Amino acid sequence: MARLARTEGLSEVQQEILAAVHGFVDKEIIPVATELEHADEYPAEIVKGMVEMGLFGLMIPEEYSGIGESLLTYALVVEEIARGWMSVSGILNTHFIVAYMIKQHGTDEQKAYFLPRMAEGTVRAAFSMSEPALGSDVAAIKTRGVRDGDDFLITGQKMWLTNGGTSNLVALLARTDEGQDAPHRNMTTFLIEKEPGFGEVRPGLTVPGKLAKMGYKGVDTTELVLDNVRVPGDRVLGGATGRGFAHMMDGVEVGRVNVAARACGIALRAFELGIAYAQQRSTFGKPIAQHQAIQFKLAEMAVKVEAAHQMMVRAARVKDAGQRNDLEAGMAKYLAAEYCKEVVEDSFRIHGGYGYSKEYEIERLYREAPMLLIGEGTAEIQKMIVGRRLLEEYKLKG
């Protein structure tokens, strides 16, 4: 592998997994990514290959038929996949978040029922927290779950579901009446099974269709409309209501490491494209890579690629150590997303007019990078999280 974005201290198994994924990306993803992205076509063959490699069960424990690897391994795999095509890493991300939530917070029955099928890829998951009328104010959600005997009836509208159409399991946050003063203590996560596809996919549950997006194409991003959808009580995550906000925040925390990894992957690919093009394109009688201005730009890009990667790795390792990592994950997501945008733009500038052509891969990256600025929380949200945690850590004594 190249000199940039190396990770020290990996086991032989981790190195083998990453080498296999790197080869898969170079052979199966990069050659077809731009064509599929321009057509907004779901990468069915690529997903099939990932299922065969066991990537959908990468972090699921071996006792549930998974590989049982760490968050670090998963993040490095995501970085490799995003280097090929960011949309493909998105297909894994929400599935991974839901599997993580079930592993961490599910009942024994929920783990035994869902995790083996999620590991083999026959159950694929979507994560549903956002709604049309709210952004970062999760406590203001309006979707409601009302008790009806042993079941719940859920009504509301959800937004921005990655895998909303192709999934057959949705982890959904809804408001339940727990009688608590704090809004976040009146929320519950439900595990809702459905049929893949669009239209009515379960009685009362409708997936209207794919949302049109500037980038992040191929993967299906959807709304979800619920009208008295009946969900059995044993499909409350963890078996107890009122804990949904904590469940979702735990999922988002590891999701931020994932988004940071995606940003690292795109930035690395943009650097690869930029440094290759700079050696192929000539002006004033020599390759533009020999012009000092371009060398300065390449140096700045490389520093940003390396810094973002190392911060992402640290965030994953802190979580793997069983420690709270919202500070590290917030820092990593913020820095990696911002640097990704800057590295992609610099590579775009190096390409000159050709960067604006759909024939060149950098055009696709230029449209994909902005999604990472808002996914799993905007830069402003990350800075708020980091600022609050710093005040906790450095609180004056006395």
Side-chain angles (χ1 to χ4, degrees):
M1 295 188 182
R3 186 177 182 88
L4 289 183
R6 289 183 179 179
T7 309
E8 301 298 327
L10 296 181
S11 68
E12 186 174 335
V13 171
Q14 288 174 312
Q15 294 177 43
E16 290 174 355
I17 291 172
L18 292 174
V21 174
H22 185 86
F24 178 79
V25 168
D26 283 348
K27 182 180 179 181
E28 305 294 340
I29 298 182
I30 289 177
V32 300
T34 296
E35 179 182 354
L36 290 175
E37 197 272 348
H38 287 167
D40 198 7
E41 182 178 337
Y42 187 79
E45 288 301 311
I46 293 174
V47 171
K48 181 180 177 183
M50 293 195 301
V51 169
E52 292 172 354
M53 294 175 72
L55 297 186
F56 283 89
L58 192 62
M59 276 192 68
I60 293 175
E62 293 181 14
E63 63 184 293
Y64 298 111
S65 304
I67 296 177
E69 267 296 334
S70 63
L71 176 60
L72 174 61
T73 306
Y74 179 78
L76 295 175
V77 165
V78 166
E79 182 181 38
E80 284 287 353
I81 292 174
R83 186 180 69 87
W85 184 13
M86 195 260 287
S87 292
V88 177
S89 64
I91 292 170
L92 274 179
N93 183 37
T94 52
H95 176 88
F96 146 73
I97 290 176
V98 176
Y100 171 83
M101 290 168 60
I102 293 174
K103 180 186 75 170
Q104 293 296 109
H105 307 291
T107 63
D108 289 342
E109 184 274 334
Q110 289 167 352
K111 295 175 186 178
Y113 180 79
F114 287 113
L115 291 181
R117 294 187 296 149
M118 295 181 80
E120 67 184 15
T122 54
V123 168
R124 302 239 292 280
F127 177 83
S128 181
M129 185 167 63
S130 184
E131 296 185 1
L134 67 92
S136 302
D137 187 8
V138 179
I141 67 168
K142 297 179 180 178
T143 299
R144 300 188 66 86
V146 179
R147 288 185 183 274
D148 185 50
D150 293 332
D151 301 338
F152 287 82
L153 297 176
I154 303 179
T155 299
Q157 184 177 3
K158 290 294 186 178
M159 193 70 171
W160 305 119
L161 278 78
T162 300
N163 295 335
T166 50
S167 63
N168 47 11
L169 171 65
V170 179
L172 180 142
L173 185 65
R175 182 178 300 280
T176 50
D177 185 10
E178 308 300 324
Q180 299 291 326
D181 293 333
H184 66 277
R185 293 182 179 176
N186 292 295
M187 296 183 184
T188 300
T189 300
F190 294 92
L191 301 174
I192 303 177
E193 296 174 89
K194 70 177 186 67
E195 292 297 319
F198 300 97
E200 190 170 42
V201 293
R202 173 180 174 143
L205 183 64
T206 301
V207 182
K210 294 202 305 184
L211 298 168
K213 299 167 293 185
M214 175 177 72
Y216 197 37
K217 297 186 177 182
V219 61
D220 49 296
T221 305
T222 74
E223 297 177 71
L224 197 66
V225 180
L226 305 99
D227 183 12
N228 283 324
V229 177
R230 184 172 293 277
V231 179
D234 61 5
R235 289 297 173 259
V236 170
L237 180 62
T241 58
R243 301 176 182 174
F245 184 82
H247 295 160
M248 287 280 170
M249 290 304 102
D250 192 22
V252 167
E253 194 171 283
V254 293
R256 286 187 179 123
V257 176
N258 177 289
V259 172
R262 284 198 259 178
C264 290
I266 292 177
L268 179 58
R269 183 58 181 166
F271 172 80
E272 291 173 348
L273 294 171
I275 199 168
Y277 185 81
Q279 296 171 78
Q280 297 163 356
R281 173 73 169 172
S282 293
T283 61
F284 304 104
K286 60 182 179 181
I288 63 173
Q290 294 182 20
H291 294 295
Q292 190 179 63
I294 298 299
Q295 291 178 11
F296 284 178
K297 196 172 290 294
L298 291 171
E300 292 168 359
M301 292 162 67
V303 169
K304 291 173 182 177
V305 167
E306 186 68 12
H309 173 83
Q310 298 302 336
M311 189 165 281
M312 177 271 292
V313 167
R314 170 159 172 74
R317 282 183 161 149
V318 170
K319 189 71 171 180
D320 282 333
Q323 301 173 29
R324 179 179 176 182
N325 85 328
D326 52 346
L327 175 65
E328 291 81 5
M331 285 181 168
K333 192 275 174 184
Y334 167 59
L335 188 81
E338 295 294 331
Y339 276 180
C340 174
K341 176 200 69 172
E342 294 171 10
V343 171
V344 168
E345 183 171 331
D346 281 343
S347 184
F348 176 84
R349 290 172 184 270
I350 288 172
H351 281 76
Y354 287 108
Y356 209 63
S357 168
K358 287 195 172 184
E359 295 181 16
Y360 282 74
E361 193 176 337
I362 192 63
E363 180 270 343
R364 170 171 59 83
L365 301 187
Y366 196 77
R367 289 183 290 103
E368 288 179 337
M371 196 283 285
L372 300 172
L373 297 171
I374 56 176
E376 248 74 326
T378 62
E380 290 72 23
I381 289 294
Q382 307 311 318
K383 287 188 280 188
M384 182 178 69
I385 292 169
V386 169
R388 288 175 177 174
R389 286 289 287 117
L390 290 173
L391 287 171
E392 290 179 20
E393 293 288 334
Y394 289 87
K395 185 176 181 179
L396 293 177
K397 302 292 192 277

mmCIF file of all heavy atoms in Angstrom, residues 240-283:
data_model
loop_
_atom_site.group_PDB
_atom_site.id
_atom_site.type_symbol
_atom_site.label_atom_id
_atom_site.label_comp_id
_atom_site.label_asym_id
_atom_site.label_seq_id
_atom_site.Cartn_x
_atom_site.Cartn_y
_atom_site.Cartn_z
ATOM 1 N N ALA A 240 -37.128 -2.387 26.846
ATOM 2 C CA ALA A 240 -37.684 -1.372 27.746
ATOM 3 C C ALA A 240 -37.804 -0.050 27.013
ATOM 4 O O ALA A 240 -36.890 0.353 26.278
ATOM 5 C CB ALA A 240 -36.796 -1.210 28.980
ATOM 6 N N THR A 241 -38.924 0.636 27.197
ATOM 7 C CA THR A 241 -39.135 1.934 26.551
ATOM 8 C C THR A 241 -38.378 3.027 27.294
ATOM 9 O O THR A 241 -37.908 2.836 28.412
ATOM 10 C CB THR A 241 -40.636 2.269 26.516
ATOM 11 O OG1 THR A 241 -41.142 2.281 27.859
ATOM 12 C CG2 THR A 241 -41.410 1.248 25.694
ATOM 13 N N GLY A 242 -38.287 4.191 26.657
ATOM 14 C CA GLY A 242 -37.685 5.354 27.292
ATOM 15 C C GLY A 242 -36.177 5.441 27.191
ATOM 16 O O GLY A 242 -35.574 6.384 27.706
ATOM 17 N N ARG A 243 -35.550 4.488 26.524
ATOM 18 C CA ARG A 243 -34.086 4.482 26.419
ATOM 19 C C ARG A 243 -33.593 4.766 24.997
ATOM 20 O O ARG A 243 -32.412 4.669 24.711
ATOM 21 C CB ARG A 243 -33.546 3.123 26.878
ATOM 22 C CG ARG A 243 -33.909 2.762 28.309
ATOM 23 C CD ARG A 243 -33.417 1.374 28.663
ATOM 24 N NE ARG A 243 -33.809 0.988 30.022
ATOM 25 C CZ ARG A 243 -33.608 -0.228 30.528
ATOM 26 N NH1 ARG A 243 -33.023 -1.167 29.782
ATOM 27 N NH2 ARG A 243 -33.991 -0.501 31.762
ATOM 28 N N GLY A 244 -34.519 5.104 24.126
ATOM 29 C CA GLY A 244 -34.179 5.221 22.714
ATOM 30 C C GLY A 244 -33.163 6.302 22.390
ATOM 31 O O GLY A 244 -32.313 6.126 21.511
ATOM 32 N N PHE A 245 -33.251 7.434 23.078
ATOM 33 C CA PHE A 245 -32.319 8.524 22.796
ATOM 34 C C PHE A 245 -30.883 8.080 23.070
ATOM 35 O O PHE A 245 -29.980 8.305 22.257
ATOM 36 C CB PHE A 245 -32.666 9.746 23.642
ATOM 37 C CG PHE A 245 -31.823 10.953 23.356
ATOM 38 C CD1 PHE A 245 -32.122 11.789 22.288
ATOM 39 C CD2 PHE A 245 -30.717 11.250 24.144
ATOM 40 C CE1 PHE A 245 -31.341 12.908 22.010
ATOM 41 C CE2 PHE A 245 -29.931 12.363 23.877
ATOM 42 C CZ PHE A 245 -30.241 13.192 22.809
ATOM 43 N N ALA A 246 -30.657 7.409 24.198
ATOM 44 C CA ALA A 246 -29.313 6.921 24.527
ATOM 45 C C ALA A 246 -28.844 5.885 23.518
ATOM 46 O O ALA A 246 -27.667 5.879 23.117
ATOM 47 C CB ALA A 246 -29.302 6.329 25.933
ATOM 48 N N HIS A 247 -29.765 4.998 23.081
ATOM 49 C CA HIS A 247 -29.404 4.003 22.076
ATOM 50 C C HIS A 247 -28.952 4.669 20.781
ATOM 51 O O HIS A 247 -27.930 4.294 20.190
ATOM 52 C CB HIS A 247 -30.606 3.099 21.783
ATOM 53 C CG HIS A 247 -31.032 2.265 22.936
ATOM 54 N ND1 HIS A 247 -32.300 1.708 23.016
ATOM 55 C CD2 HIS A 247 -30.386 1.873 24.066
ATOM 56 C CE1 HIS A 247 -32.398 1.022 24.129
ATOM 57 N NE2 HIS A 247 -31.256 1.101 24.791
ATOM 58 N N MET A 248 -29.724 5.646 20.345
ATOM 59 C CA MET A 248 -29.413 6.315 19.083
ATOM 60 C C MET A 248 -28.110 7.107 19.174
ATOM 61 O O MET A 248 -27.312 7.116 18.234
ATOM 62 C CB MET A 248 -30.572 7.239 18.686
ATOM 63 C CG MET A 248 -31.800 6.519 18.187
ATOM 64 S SD MET A 248 -31.593 6.034 16.468
ATOM 65 C CE MET A 248 -33.023 4.970 16.212
ATOM 66 N N MET A 249 -27.890 7.774 20.284
ATOM 67 C CA MET A 249 -26.663 8.558 20.427
ATOM 68 C C MET A 249 -25.428 7.658 20.447
ATOM 69 O O MET A 249 -24.377 8.018 19.917
ATOM 70 C CB MET A 249 -26.718 9.408 21.699
ATOM 71 C CG MET A 249 -27.724 10.556 21.645
ATOM 72 S SD MET A 249 -27.465 11.692 20.245
ATOM 73 C CE MET A 249 -28.755 11.129 19.112
ATOM 74 N N ASP A 250 -25.566 6.485 21.029
ATOM 75 C CA ASP A 250 -24.464 5.522 21.005
ATOM 76 C C ASP A 250 -24.181 5.090 19.565
ATOM 77 O O ASP A 250 -23.023 4.986 19.143
ATOM 78 C CB ASP A 250 -24.809 4.308 21.872
ATOM 79 C CG ASP A 250 -23.610 3.414 22.122
ATOM 80 O OD1 ASP A 250 -22.466 3.897 22.014
ATOM 81 O OD2 ASP A 250 -23.808 2.225 22.439
ATOM 82 N N GLY A 251 -25.257 4.863 18.806
ATOM 83 C CA GLY A 251 -25.085 4.500 17.405
ATOM 84 C C GLY A 251 -24.461 5.611 16.591
ATOM 85 O O GLY A 251 -23.588 5.382 15.746
ATOM 86 N N VAL A 252 -24.892 6.844 16.832
ATOM 87 C CA VAL A 252 -24.352 7.986 16.102
ATOM 88 C C VAL A 252 -22.874 8.183 16.431
ATOM 89 O O VAL A 252 -22.075 8.577 15.573
ATOM 90 C CB VAL A 252 -25.161 9.263 16.429
ATOM 91 C CG1 VAL A 252 -24.432 10.506 15.941
ATOM 92 C CG2 VAL A 252 -26.542 9.183 15.781
ATOM 93 N N GLU A 253 -22.494 7.894 17.668
ATOM 94 C CA GLU A 253 -21.101 8.069 18.084
ATOM 95 C C GLU A 253 -20.168 7.202 17.249
ATOM 96 O O GLU A 253 -19.129 7.669 16.767
ATOM 97 C CB GLU A 253 -20.967 7.735 19.569
ATOM 98 C CG GLU A 253 -19.665 8.194 20.191
ATOM 99 C CD GLU A 253 -19.672 8.027 21.699
ATOM 100 O OE1 GLU A 253 -20.292 8.855 22.379
ATOM 101 O OE2 GLU A 253 -19.072 7.041 22.180
ATOM 102 N N VAL A 254 -20.523 5.934 17.075
ATOM 103 C CA VAL A 254 -19.690 5.087 16.225
ATOM 104 C C VAL A 254 -19.882 5.445 14.758
ATOM 105 O O VAL A 254 -18.976 5.302 13.935
ATOM 106 C CB VAL A 254 -19.961 3.580 16.473
ATOM 107 C CG1 VAL A 254 -19.521 3.176 17.860
ATOM 108 C CG2 VAL A 254 -21.418 3.226 16.250
ATOM 109 N N GLY A 255 -21.088 5.955 14.420
ATOM 110 C CA GLY A 255 -21.328 6.412 13.052
ATOM 111 C C GLY A 255 -20.435 7.577 12.671
ATOM 112 O O GLY A 255 -20.038 7.722 11.512
ATOM 113 N N ARG A 256 -20.078 8.413 13.648
ATOM 114 C CA ARG A 256 -19.189 9.541 13.361
ATOM 115 C C ARG A 256 -17.790 9.054 12.998
ATOM 116 O O ARG A 256 -17.119 9.653 12.159
ATOM 117 C CB ARG A 256 -19.139 10.491 14.559
ATOM 118 C CG ARG A 256 -20.401 11.307 14.698
ATOM 119 C CD ARG A 256 -20.310 12.376 15.774
ATOM 120 N NE ARG A 256 -21.555 13.114 15.797
ATOM 121 C CZ ARG A 256 -22.344 13.264 16.859
ATOM 122 N NH1 ARG A 256 -21.975 12.739 18.015
ATOM 123 N NH2 ARG A 256 -23.476 13.940 16.783
ATOM 124 N N VAL A 257 -17.351 7.981 13.623
ATOM 125 C CA VAL A 257 -16.070 7.391 13.228
ATOM 126 C C VAL A 257 -16.170 6.899 11.793
ATOM 127 O O VAL A 257 -15.243 7.068 10.993
ATOM 128 C CB VAL A 257 -15.681 6.240 14.178
ATOM 129 C CG1 VAL A 257 -14.392 5.565 13.706
ATOM 130 C CG2 VAL A 257 -15.518 6.755 15.603
ATOM 131 N N ASN A 258 -17.306 6.306 11.457
ATOM 132 C CA ASN A 258 -17.521 5.830 10.092
ATOM 133 C C ASN A 258 -17.481 6.970 9.089
ATOM 134 O O ASN A 258 -16.842 6.860 8.030
ATOM 135 C CB ASN A 258 -18.873 5.103 10.020
ATOM 136 C CG ASN A 258 -19.219 4.630 8.630
ATOM 137 O OD1 ASN A 258 -19.529 5.430 7.751
ATOM 138 N ND2 ASN A 258 -19.190 3.330 8.421
ATOM 139 N N VAL A 259 -18.162 8.071 9.396
ATOM 140 C CA VAL A 259 -18.173 9.211 8.475
ATOM 141 C C VAL A 259 -16.769 9.796 8.338
ATOM 142 O O VAL A 259 -16.343 10.180 7.235
ATOM 143 C CB VAL A 259 -19.179 10.285 8.935
ATOM 144 C CG1 VAL A 259 -19.054 11.546 8.097
ATOM 145 C CG2 VAL A 259 -20.605 9.744 8.842
ATOM 146 N N ALA A 260 -16.034 9.858 9.435
ATOM 147 C CA ALA A 260 -14.645 10.310 9.355
ATOM 148 C C ALA A 260 -13.838 9.402 8.442
ATOM 149 O O ALA A 260 -13.024 9.871 7.627
ATOM 150 C CB ALA A 260 -14.022 10.341 10.752
ATOM 151 N N ALA A 261 -14.066 8.095 8.550
ATOM 152 C CA ALA A 261 -13.354 7.136 7.693
ATOM 153 C C ALA A 261 -13.721 7.330 6.228
ATOM 154 O O ALA A 261 -12.856 7.244 5.341
ATOM 155 C CB ALA A 261 -13.673 5.707 8.136
ATOM 156 N N ARG A 262 -14.986 7.589 5.971
ATOM 157 C CA ARG A 262 -15.400 7.850 4.579
ATOM 158 C C ARG A 262 -14.708 9.093 4.038
ATOM 159 O O ARG A 262 -14.250 9.122 2.890
ATOM 160 C CB ARG A 262 -16.914 8.016 4.510
ATOM 161 C CG ARG A 262 -17.668 6.714 4.597
ATOM 162 C CD ARG A 262 -19.079 6.881 4.090
ATOM 163 N NE ARG A 262 -20.028 7.017 5.168
ATOM 164 C CZ ARG A 262 -21.329 7.215 4.993
ATOM 165 N NH1 ARG A 262 -21.807 7.345 3.766
ATOM 166 N NH2 ARG A 262 -22.137 7.318 6.019
ATOM 167 N N ALA A 263 -14.651 10.138 4.854
ATOM 168 C CA ALA A 263 -13.982 11.369 4.431
ATOM 169 C C ALA A 263 -12.503 11.111 4.150
ATOM 170 O O ALA A 263 -11.939 11.633 3.184
ATOM 171 C CB ALA A 263 -14.148 12.448 5.497
ATOM 172 N N CYS A 264 -11.873 10.287 4.986
ATOM 173 C CA CYS A 264 -10.469 9.936 4.766
ATOM 174 C C CYS A 264 -10.289 9.202 3.445
ATOM 175 O O CYS A 264 -9.319 9.444 2.711
ATOM 176 C CB CYS A 264 -9.961 9.071 5.916
ATOM 177 S SG CYS A 264 -9.780 9.940 7.495
ATOM 178 N N GLY A 265 -11.202 8.299 3.150
ATOM 179 C CA GLY A 265 -11.111 7.542 1.904
ATOM 180 C C GLY A 265 -11.246 8.409 0.675
ATOM 181 O O GLY A 265 -10.494 8.267 -0.305
ATOM 182 N N ILE A 266 -12.220 9.328 0.694
ATOM 183 C CA ILE A 266 -12.409 10.227 -0.449
ATOM 184 C C ILE A 266 -11.210 11.150 -0.598
ATOM 185 O O ILE A 266 -10.724 11.387 -1.721
ATOM 186 C CB ILE A 266 -13.698 11.047 -0.283
ATOM 187 C CG1 ILE A 266 -14.921 10.141 -0.377
ATOM 188 C CG2 ILE A 266 -13.791 12.140 -1.344
ATOM 189 C CD1 ILE A 266 -16.230 10.860 -0.164
ATOM 190 N N ALA A 267 -10.710 11.677 0.514
ATOM 191 C CA ALA A 267 -9.558 12.572 0.445
ATOM 192 C C ALA A 267 -8.343 11.850 -0.125
ATOM 193 O O ALA A 267 -7.600 12.408 -0.952
ATOM 194 C CB ALA A 267 -9.245 13.128 1.830
ATOM 195 N N LEU A 268 -8.125 10.612 0.295
ATOM 196 C CA LEU A 268 -6.998 9.845 -0.223
ATOM 197 C C LEU A 268 -7.134 9.621 -1.724
ATOM 198 O O LEU A 268 -6.159 9.755 -2.479
ATOM 199 C CB LEU A 268 -6.906 8.500 0.507
ATOM 200 C CG LEU A 268 -5.780 7.564 0.059
ATOM 201 C CD1 LEU A 268 -4.420 8.233 0.214
ATOM 202 C CD2 LEU A 268 -5.833 6.260 0.850
ATOM 203 N N ARG A 269 -8.341 9.290 -2.172
ATOM 204 C CA ARG A 269 -8.552 9.079 -3.618
ATOM 205 C C ARG A 269 -8.346 10.380 -4.384
ATOM 206 O O ARG A 269 -7.737 10.380 -5.466
ATOM 207 C CB ARG A 269 -9.957 8.535 -3.869
ATOM 208 C CG ARG A 269 -10.247 8.209 -5.331
ATOM 209 C CD ARG A 269 -9.277 7.193 -5.879
ATOM 210 N NE ARG A 269 -9.526 6.879 -7.275
ATOM 211 C CZ ARG A 269 -8.661 6.235 -8.058
ATOM 212 N NH1 ARG A 269 -7.491 5.835 -7.570
ATOM 213 N NH2 ARG A 269 -8.952 5.984 -9.317
ATOM 214 N N ALA A 270 -8.821 11.488 -3.846
ATOM 215 C CA ALA A 270 -8.625 12.781 -4.517
ATOM 216 C C ALA A 270 -7.144 13.116 -4.628
ATOM 217 O O ALA A 270 -6.683 13.634 -5.654
ATOM 218 C CB ALA A 270 -9.364 13.879 -3.752
ATOM 219 N N PHE A 271 -6.393 12.798 -3.571
ATOM 220 C CA PHE A 271 -4.945 13.021 -3.630
ATOM 221 C C PHE A 271 -4.307 12.132 -4.696
ATOM 222 O O PHE A 271 -3.457 12.587 -5.480
ATOM 223 C CB PHE A 271 -4.318 12.733 -2.266
ATOM 224 C CG PHE A 271 -2.814 12.757 -2.290
ATOM 225 C CD1 PHE A 271 -2.123 13.962 -2.245
ATOM 226 C CD2 PHE A 271 -2.085 11.575 -2.387
ATOM 227 C CE1 PHE A 271 -0.735 13.991 -2.289
ATOM 228 C CE2 PHE A 271 -0.708 11.594 -2.432
ATOM 229 C CZ PHE A 271 -0.031 12.805 -2.383
ATOM 230 N N GLU A 272 -4.690 10.861 -4.723
ATOM 231 C CA GLU A 272 -4.148 9.938 -5.728
ATOM 232 C C GLU A 272 -4.410 10.450 -7.142
ATOM 233 O O GLU A 272 -3.520 10.436 -8.005
ATOM 234 C CB GLU A 272 -4.772 8.551 -5.565
ATOM 235 C CG GLU A 272 -4.356 7.816 -4.304
ATOM 236 C CD GLU A 272 -5.120 6.519 -4.101
ATOM 237 O OE1 GLU A 272 -6.139 6.291 -4.806
ATOM 238 O OE2 GLU A 272 -4.713 5.724 -3.237
ATOM 239 N N LEU A 273 -5.623 10.917 -7.376
ATOM 240 C CA LEU A 273 -5.974 11.429 -8.701
ATOM 241 C C LEU A 273 -5.192 12.697 -9.027
ATOM 242 O O LEU A 273 -4.707 12.877 -10.149
ATOM 243 C CB LEU A 273 -7.476 11.713 -8.776
ATOM 244 C CG LEU A 273 -8.398 10.490 -8.677
ATOM 245 C CD1 LEU A 273 -9.853 10.935 -8.545
ATOM 246 C CD2 LEU A 273 -8.235 9.579 -9.898
ATOM 247 N N GLY A 274 -5.061 13.576 -8.027
ATOM 248 C CA GLY A 274 -4.373 14.838 -8.251
ATOM 249 C C GLY A 274 -2.898 14.658 -8.534
ATOM 250 O O GLY A 274 -2.345 15.260 -9.473
ATOM 251 N N ILE A 275 -2.214 13.801 -7.759
ATOM 252 C CA ILE A 275 -0.780 13.637 -7.951
ATOM 253 C C ILE A 275 -0.476 12.874 -9.240
ATOM 254 O O ILE A 275 0.560 13.104 -9.893
ATOM 255 C CB ILE A 275 -0.119 12.960 -6.724
ATOM 256 C CG1 ILE A 275 1.391 13.214 -6.737
ATOM 257 C CG2 ILE A 275 -0.454 11.475 -6.652
ATOM 258 C CD1 ILE A 275 2.076 12.847 -5.430
ATOM 259 N N ALA A 276 -1.382 11.983 -9.638
ATOM 260 C CA ALA A 276 -1.194 11.283 -10.917
ATOM 261 C C ALA A 276 -1.377 12.247 -12.091
ATOM 262 O O ALA A 276 -0.557 12.279 -13.026
ATOM 263 C CB ALA A 276 -2.180 10.124 -11.025
ATOM 264 N N TYR A 277 -2.443 13.050 -12.040
ATOM 265 C CA TYR A 277 -2.710 13.978 -13.144
ATOM 266 C C TYR A 277 -1.598 15.025 -13.251
ATOM 267 O O TYR A 277 -1.199 15.412 -14.354
ATOM 268 C CB TYR A 277 -4.051 14.673 -12.930
ATOM 269 C CG TYR A 277 -4.460 15.568 -14.086
ATOM 270 C CD1 TYR A 277 -5.050 15.031 -15.222
ATOM 271 C CD2 TYR A 277 -4.234 16.946 -14.042
ATOM 272 C CE1 TYR A 277 -5.412 15.840 -16.292
ATOM 273 C CE2 TYR A 277 -4.590 17.761 -15.108
ATOM 274 C CZ TYR A 277 -5.173 17.197 -16.223
ATOM 275 O OH TYR A 277 -5.525 17.996 -17.295
ATOM 276 N N ALA A 278 -1.051 15.459 -12.109
ATOM 277 C CA ALA A 278 -0.003 16.473 -12.123
ATOM 278 C C ALA A 278 1.259 15.987 -12.821
ATOM 279 O O ALA A 278 2.049 16.794 -13.342
ATOM 280 C CB ALA A 278 0.332 16.894 -10.696
ATOM 281 N N GLN A 279 1.456 14.680 -12.869
ATOM 282 C CA GLN A 279 2.620 14.125 -13.551
ATOM 283 C C GLN A 279 2.354 13.829 -15.030
ATOM 284 O O GLN A 279 3.280 13.599 -15.805
ATOM 285 C CB GLN A 279 3.073 12.844 -12.846
ATOM 286 C CG GLN A 279 3.553 13.080 -11.420
ATOM 287 C CD GLN A 279 3.801 11.794 -10.668
ATOM 288 O OE1 GLN A 279 4.831 11.146 -10.859
ATOM 289 N NE2 GLN A 279 2.853 11.411 -9.817
ATOM 290 N N GLN A 280 1.078 13.843 -15.414
ATOM 291 C CA GLN A 280 0.708 13.551 -16.797
ATOM 292 C C GLN A 280 0.466 14.812 -17.620
ATOM 293 O O GLN A 280 0.700 14.821 -18.826
ATOM 294 C CB GLN A 280 -0.576 12.693 -16.809
ATOM 295 C CG GLN A 280 -0.405 11.332 -16.155
ATOM 296 C CD GLN A 280 -1.731 10.687 -15.805
ATOM 297 O OE1 GLN A 280 -2.796 11.281 -15.988
ATOM 298 N NE2 GLN A 280 -1.681 9.467 -15.279
ATOM 299 N N ARG A 281 0.027 15.858 -16.987
ATOM 300 C CA ARG A 281 -0.316 17.114 -17.667
ATOM 301 C C ARG A 281 0.895 18.038 -17.730
ATOM 302 O O ARG A 281 1.584 18.236 -16.720
ATOM 303 C CB ARG A 281 -1.450 17.803 -16.902
ATOM 304 C CG ARG A 281 -1.809 19.191 -17.375
ATOM 305 C CD ARG A 281 -2.542 19.181 -18.694
ATOM 306 N NE ARG A 281 -3.100 20.495 -18.991
ATOM 307 C CZ ARG A 281 -3.658 20.823 -20.155
ATOM 308 N NH1 ARG A 281 -3.727 19.934 -21.125
ATOM 309 N NH2 ARG A 281 -4.158 22.033 -20.338
ATOM 310 N N SER A 282 1.184 18.573 -18.888
ATOM 311 C CA SER A 282 2.344 19.463 -19.057
ATOM 312 C C SER A 282 1.903 20.865 -19.428
ATOM 313 O O SER A 282 0.939 21.056 -20.182
ATOM 314 C CB SER A 282 3.277 18.925 -20.144
ATOM 315 O OG SER A 282 3.876 17.714 -19.734
ATOM 316 N N THR A 283 2.594 21.854 -18.892
ATOM 317 C CA THR A 283 2.438 23.253 -19.294
ATOM 318 C C THR A 283 3.816 23.906 -19.316
ATOM 319 O O THR A 283 4.689 23.561 -18.509
ATOM 320 C CB THR A 283 1.536 24.042 -18.324
ATOM 321 O OG1 THR A 283 2.123 24.039 -17.023
ATOM 322 C CG2 THR A 283 0.135 23.462 -18.260
#
